Amino acid sequence: PSILEEARYNDEHRDPLCKFQRWVAELDGSIIGAAEYDQDSRHYHPRKFCIHGIVRIDYQRQGIGSALYRQIIAALEPFNPLSMQSQVREVRIRSIQFLKRRGFHEAWWRWESRLDVVAFDPAPHSNLEEQLHIQGIEIKTFRQLETDPERNSKLYALENELVMDVPTMDERTPITYDSFMHTINSPYMLPNAYFVALCNNEYIGVNTLYRSRASNHLQTGLTGVKRAYRRRGIASALKLHGIAYAKEHGYTTLRVTNDSINKPMLAINERLGFVRRPTWITMVKVFAEEPQ
């Protein structure tokens, strides 16, 4: 779920490099469907696109989705697209069939997992923080680091480094500093739920949590640790700080989404008690092979 404030902020802070357009289906002054194309600045390619479409349930199976889809195809034609993709939950069988009939195939899988914050027991992990402290590793929040004048630039560099190791279907492209700052200043940013691991004042890992004002859960953004510091329990400690924050502030659920081949992070989440939910499937339609 989302609310108007969040949707408006996202629209106003889109990366200008990325093409975007949205349409609505209207009946008697009411919006009954919507569709859009966009490009992902984290995997930018000038001829690759993401599409999304929704139709109110009481107006489905009347050709509205098909009309919106045709509108997208016509609008993309001048850009000579190589491919386009759309994400759909595995339980949305009709949506999957809709895309397959139009030439899409299943290409990538992302697993959403959820943690019951209320039932979580931190006791089995109680000595982890002390073990890290002995190694000179500490965890601070974004707000606690505000006295560091280079905080934002350090975090920008760290996140760009970490995301390059996250498994992905498409080649990654670094985000711009402006895009990073738009995220930092967004209405769902929580300065006390953005956790940073440090060793001798070097920023070595992050775990970011974001809220949606439309529901009582927190969404996990990026969790990662620099290669030289992995396999010490730092990622688990960062996540434990996030769970503690969620419990302290009355959130009932933590959500996280991981690519199905990201075995190390999936293992960490499983040990902490995250439970898998229905998979998100990335469906892709290829128009032309990418030039070599």
Side-chain angles (χ1 to χ4, degrees), residues 56-281:
R56 276 177 46 179
I57 191 167
D58 45 335
Y59 289 98
Q60 292 177 4
R61 305 179 74 91
Q62 297 181 31
I64 299 168
S66 298
L68 288 166
Y69 176 80
R70 290 194 296 271
Q71 182 70 46
I72 289 176
I73 294 297
L76 288 180
E77 187 174 357
F79 304 129
N80 192 22
L82 294 174
S83 66
M84 61 183 183
Q85 62 178 253
S86 187
Q87 290 194 351
V88 60
R89 283 180 178 269
E90 63 178 345
V91 295
R92 303 289 188 185
I93 304 301
R94 279 168 49 186
S95 298
I96 294 172
Q97 292 172 343
F98 178 95
L99 292 170
K100 285 187 173 180
R101 287 196 298 270
R102 289 158 178 80
F104 287 76
H105 67 275
E106 297 184 17
W108 194 258
W109 295 264
R110 304 194 77 211
W111 292 346
E112 179 185 314
S113 302
R114 297 187 184 183
L115 178 73
D116 183 340
V117 173
V118 178
F120 178 76
D121 179 13
H125 316 280
S126 59
N127 64 341
L128 180 56
E129 196 86 10
E130 182 180 353
Q131 293 173 6
L132 294 179
H133 184 71
I134 293 172
Q135 301 174 56
I137 297 168
E138 58 182 337
I139 294 175
K140 293 185 177 182
T141 67
F142 182 86
R143 177 155 287 160
Q144 288 172 333
L145 292 168
E146 62 187 0
T147 56
D148 182 355
E150 298 181 346
R151 177 194 62 185
N152 292 349
S153 59
K154 288 180 180 178
L155 288 173
Y156 168 67
L158 176 62
E159 290 207 9
N160 260 334
E161 177 180 342
L162 296 179
V163 296
M164 292 301 172
D165 282 345
V166 178
T168 181
M169 183 179 74
D170 294 314
E171 183 178 352
R172 285 197 181 272
T173 52
I175 62 170
T176 65
Y177 186 74
D178 282 347
S179 293
F180 173 76
M181 290 307 300
H182 291 330
T183 302
I184 293 299
N185 295 321
S186 72
Y188 28 82
M189 159 66 169
L190 295 167
N192 290 318
Y194 186 128
F195 300 99
V196 184
L198 300 92
C199 185
N200 297 323
N201 292 320
E202 178 188 0
Y203 292 15
I204 62 172
V206 297
N207 179 42
T208 57
L209 302 180
Y210 299 94
R211 66 180 170 187
S212 171
R213 295 177 184 175
S215 57
N216 191 34
H217 69 251
L218 289 179
Q219 176 68 43
T220 305
L222 174 66
T223 304
V225 176
K226 284 186 174 183
R227 292 184 183 183
Y229 294 92
R230 291 176 188 169
R231 300 188 179 276
R232 302 191 195 185
I234 300 172
S236 294
L238 285 163
K239 284 182 174 285
L240 288 166
H241 275 260
I243 297 168
Y245 175 91
K247 181 170 288 192
E248 180 182 350
H249 290 82
Y251 291 95
T252 58
T253 307
L254 264 182
R255 296 174 55 185
V256 62
T257 306
N258 299 107
D259 298 278
S260 60
I261 64 171
N262 192 352
K263 304 300 183 184
M265 195 56 67
L266 289 167
I268 290 173
N269 291 333
E270 186 174 343
R271 286 197 297 270
L272 291 173
F274 283 82
V275 178
R276 273 189 56 192
R277 304 279 290 183
T279 300
W280 283 94
I281 304 172

